[in-house]
Amino acid sequence: MSCSRRPYGWPRWGDLAEKIKNQQRRLAERVMRANAQGMPRLDAVMYLSSALEAYRELEPEGQKQLLAEAGAVGQKGLSINNPEQSHHLQHYRGGATVSALQVVCILYVGVQLLLPGQDAGIDFAREYELAKGLANGTPPQVA
């Protein structure tokens, strides 16, 4: 049997890879929540607040570019529980190196603002509400 063919009933490689990514994402979120002992992650609140401010500073096209850039970085895989992992985002604050958790927070805010109702892949609802309060209580206007 050729390696390019899959046995009957087995998922395609793309489907299998997506399932594995989803499981890894859920595990990372569980570890993150366990580390915070059920409390909101204050580091995430600060990163979300900063992301809200960053989106506020950008024109609508820049907001879309930032979201797309964060999404592209996220597609490569992010280790949100590893503060040593860093990524450079050209469209964030004029170009900045940020942690994996910061990338996820930037992505989360972008999804909330530009794609409301879409699943951001992680639940930062509590942290986001706190961050909006820090960012003067009003999310930035988006096109």
Side-chain angles (χ1 to χ4, degrees), residues 78-119:
L78 296 167
S79 182
I80 62 173
N81 295 307
N82 178 2
E84 303 291 320
Q85 189 182 66
S86 63
H87 305 274
H88 185 77
L89 296 179
Q90 179 180 345
H91 295 95
Y92 184 68
R93 306 266 186 197
T97 299
V98 297
S99 71
L101 181 58
Q102 283 175 287
V103 172
V104 171
C105 290
I106 293 164
L107 183 61
Y108 186 88
V109 169
V111 168
Q112 297 305 307
L113 298 174
L114 302 172
L115 304 168
Q118 294 292 316
D119 180 12

Side-chain angles (χ1 to χ4, degrees), residues 117-134:
Q118 294 292 316
D119 180 12
I122 192 165
D123 182 12
F124 276 141
R126 290 187 303 170
E127 289 84 355
Y128 185 61
E129 289 304 313
L130 292 169
K132 287 193 301 187
L134 287 176

Side-chain angles (χ1 to χ4, degrees), residues 14-32:
D15 294 342
L16 182 60
E18 190 62 32
K19 287 179 182 181
I20 291 169
K21 279 176 133 177
N22 288 336
Q23 288 295 330
Q24 289 174 328
R25 189 177 305 125
R26 284 195 282 277
L27 176 61
E29 186 173 354
R30 279 199 307 267
V31 169
M32 180 190 72

Side-chain angles (χ1 to χ4, degrees), residues 1-7:
M1 174 167 66
S2 160
C3 288
S4 64
R5 297 189 63 201
R6 62 186 169 94

